[in-house]
Amino acid sequence: MNKRLMALAVAGALAAPLAASAEGTHVTIFGRLQAEYATVDIDGFNAQTAVADDALQSRWGLQIAEDLGAGLRAIGRIEYSLNPGGGEDRHLAREQWVGLGGDQWGELKFGRVQSVLKDFAGGHSIDPFAYTSLHANGSGGLMVSSNNGYGSGDAGFVSSAVRFDSPVVEGFSVAGLLMPGDADKNSPVGVPFTTIVGDPTYAGGENGEWDFQVAAKYSGQFDAVGVDVFGAYSRDNINKWQKSLGSKDEQIWRGGAIFSVADFRLRGQYEYVIDANPYGGAASCTHASAFGDANGSISLDGGRGQCNSAMNPNGNGSLWIAGADYTIGNTMLVAQGGMAVAKSTAGGAFGPQLKRNVENITIGVIHNLSRRSSLFGGYQRVWVKDRNIATDTDRNVYSVGVRHDF
């Protein structure tokens, strides 16, 4: 009994300063847990099956807010990913920022934030199967999440950034993001101890250069028809070394819309990539978006890899997705398809690259058990026509999973 009382006393003593420091500040613990039984079967290779959350949809975090008066509040967010079913350590940083918010002027965030192309203008909001093995990212249809986070993929987080989101006025809203010259690449000359002097892959942009994204959208209701229309532009500046090897600043234009009538939705998105950055840009993949090997490497086929949205290095290309869904009670039926077209390029740092087309169709279902719990499953077929390799790696993807929010 004495030991129990002592333990309670110690716990109370430790909790006291926490309660005092939290006075006036509202802290919310939130999270999501997801696990899939998913198979990626690539033609000519062994099928890869696992019970896990390779897309890193699972996460936990803290949402922080303090009322400063006069309609102003201090805000912050800390968030880490999880992988239920996976043995490796996947506690990766997601959003981590601090900022100010106001009902009249919006929110301003400083730190590691989500890409505007991920959560504001299309991206995950256009794909019901985002963060699952059936996602459009990596299978053609949406831009892959590149190393700088500027894509719309699962790892679309931008470090060292400033982001602004406006309030909604008469259905209109805007968002913008700034990052100082590839600030996530901290070495001015390359990787320490590298044998390649001045390795441009890990060197940042010039002083004064700002990578940025801007987006706008409109949401309205016209009788029985709901309309959401959006557009966005992204620019990823490169450094002098990269330019000397034939690369140019990467640009991405995007547009799309969602139309809804009662329980039926029709949605689509198109984006055009100009001068895909081969150094962590639209011409590359990341582990999270590609569902790569267990050791984290990304090869051509990548184990369970699904990396078919990347453009040819230094080349142009386009991606589109179109889909429809219908909700019956607590169940949503989903059908969608997409395509990625990587145009031929004469070279640059990587030599000639031939045209590559990737097409996919996905059918599936999402059933809500409650407001917080759901089941999902479906099938996806991907056709790859890559003129750079002798054998096309078409694939079948099967998945069934469960998700719970808390």
Side-chain angles (χ1 to χ4, degrees):
M1 180 63 70
N2 290 336
K3 291 183 178 180
R4 182 177 298 177
L5 292 174
M6 184 176 294
L8 290 173
V10 171
L14 293 174
L18 293 176
S21 64
E23 185 177 352
T25 298
H26 181 69
V27 180
T28 302
I29 301 175
F30 67 91
R32 173 171 287 176
L33 293 174
Q34 173 177 297
E36 293 180 81
Y37 177 78
T39 297
V40 179
D41 187 1
I42 302 174
D43 289 355
F45 296 87
N46 293 328
Q48 301 290 320
T49 302
V51 177
D53 180 16
D54 282 349
L56 301 185
Q57 169 76 328
S58 302
R59 83 288 295 267
W60 72 274
L62 303 174
Q63 185 75 31
I64 303 149
E66 181 188 11
D67 187 0
L68 302 177
L72 186 66
R73 61 185 178 274
I75 53 178
R77 190 179 183 94
I78 302 171
E79 185 177 298
Y80 287 92
S81 63
L82 306 168
N83 185 11
E88 66 274 16
D89 183 10
R90 300 296 291 274
H91 290 72
L92 305 177
R94 291 170 57 89
E95 291 186 81
Q96 296 188 9
W97 50 262
V98 64
L100 295 171
D103 296 334
Q104 300 299 317
W105 57 270
E107 293 184 344
L108 187 62
K109 305 171 184 176
F110 302 87
R112 179 175 170 86
V113 298
Q114 293 202 75
S115 164
V116 170
L117 294 186
K118 178 183 178 183
D119 70 338
F120 183 85
H124 277 191
S125 66
I126 209 80
D127 180 10
F129 285 119
Y131 276 124
T132 76
S133 296
L134 302 171
H135 65 173
N137 282 288
S139 56
L142 289 176
M143 197 181 86
V144 75
S145 178
S146 50
N147 291 333
N148 57 21
Y150 271 19
S152 59
D154 304 336
F157 301 97
V158 185
S159 299
S160 184
V162 180
R163 173 167 168 169
F164 170 73
D165 290 77
S166 78
V168 179
V169 179
E170 300 294 332
F172 291 93
S173 57
V174 298
L177 182 149
L178 289 173
M179 185 179 83
D182 287 337
D184 57 336
K185 312 284 196 307
N186 293 318
S187 173
V189 296
V191 182
F193 311 114
T194 183
T195 57
I196 305 175
V197 178
D199 183 356
T201 305
Y202 296 91
E206 298 180 55
N207 290 335
E209 286 189 338
W210 288 81
D211 299 342
F212 68 93
Q213 293 181 329
V214 291
K217 63 182 177 182
Y218 170 78
S219 298
Q221 189 73 31
F222 301 90
D223 294 328
V225 180
V227 177
D228 294 270
V229 182
F230 57 86
Y233 173 77
S234 174
R235 185 180 183 91
D236 181 10
N237 296 304
I238 62 176
N239 60 47
K240 292 180 178 179
W241 282 320
Q242 294 166 358
K243 291 179 180 178
S244 70
L245 296 176
S247 298
K248 299 178 181 179
D249 295 339
E250 177 185 279
Q251 302 178 71
I252 300 169
W253 293 90
R254 171 185 288 183
I258 302 174
F259 300 94
S260 58
V261 179
D263 296 322
F264 176 78
R265 289 197 313 163
L266 186 65
R267 47 198 163 72
Q269 174 180 296
Y270 175 85
E271 55 191 328
Y272 192 76
V273 180
I274 303 171
D275 298 317
N277 186 353
Y279 306 101
S284 64
C285 302
T286 62
H287 179 70
S289 63
F291 292 178
D293 298 324
N295 61 9
S297 64
I298 298 298
S299 61
L300 178 64
D301 304 299
R304 299 183 64 222
Q306 299 183 67
C307 185
N308 292 292
S309 295
M311 299 291 101
N312 282 327
N314 304 317
N316 300 342
S318 60
L319 304 101
W320 63 263
I321 181 177
D325 52 71
Y326 182 70
T327 301
I328 305 173
N330 294 330
T331 302
M332 177 188 289
L333 306 177
V334 181
Q336 62 188 32
M339 174 183 285
V341 178
K343 296 184 178 181
S344 302
T345 177
F350 294 86
Q353 297 286 325
L354 303 178
K355 187 177 181 180
R356 182 177 68 256
N357 285 13
V358 180
E359 303 173 6
N360 77 78
I361 59 170
T362 305
I363 55 174
V365 59
I366 302 172
H367 176 69
N368 294 315
L369 301 170
S370 68
R371 287 197 310 159
R372 295 180 176 273
S373 299
S374 60
L375 302 174
F376 59 89
Y379 166 76
Q380 182 180 83
R381 174 67 176 174
V382 182
W383 294 272
V384 181
K385 297 180 181 178
D386 192 341
R387 291 161 178 80
N388 292 293
I389 59 177
T391 303
D392 291 333
T393 53
D394 299 346
R395 64 201 63 202
N396 297 292
V397 181
Y398 309 88
S399 176
V400 58
V402 60
R403 176 184 298 170
H404 176 73
D405 294 323
F406 61 89

